[in-house]
Amino acid sequence: MLRHEFQPGRLVAGFFLAAAGVVYAGDAGGAWEIPWFALIPMVVGGLCLAGAVGVLSHGIRRRRRADREPRPDTPAGVPR
């Protein structure tokens, strides 16, 4: 398997969508009874949280990348 960068936003989205699937399957199987509209806030909230986590991780990744690259105004042998 090829290595890839970790994307926590996709992990959060997958968790919430899998949880919504389990809740729906439990309701369809008769294990419990939930109202028809209960999954909408769960899915929308999970997607909003996943978006926030994705933006945050992108900002952290971009800042770390900028810290590793040498600045154009600094000579190569001089520490920052």
Side-chain angles (χ1 to χ4, degrees):
M1 182 171 152
L2 296 175
R3 297 193 80 180
H4 56 85
E5 63 181 326
F6 177 62
Q7 296 178 343
R10 290 186 180 192
L11 177 69
V12 171
F15 173 76
F16 274 93
L17 291 175
V22 167
V23 169
Y24 180 76
D27 184 38
W32 53 75
E33 187 73 28
I34 60 166
W36 65 268
F37 56 85
L39 289 179
I40 294 171
M42 185 173 165
V43 170
V44 171
L47 290 176
C48 289
L49 182 62
V53 168
V55 167
L56 181 66
S57 67
H58 178 72
I60 291 171
R61 197 172 286 127
R62 186 175 58 195
R63 185 171 181 166
R64 284 185 182 173
R65 189 178 313 129
D67 287 344
R68 276 189 265 145
E69 294 175 356
R71 296 182 187 153
D73 59 344
T74 307
V78 178
R80 288 187 251 170

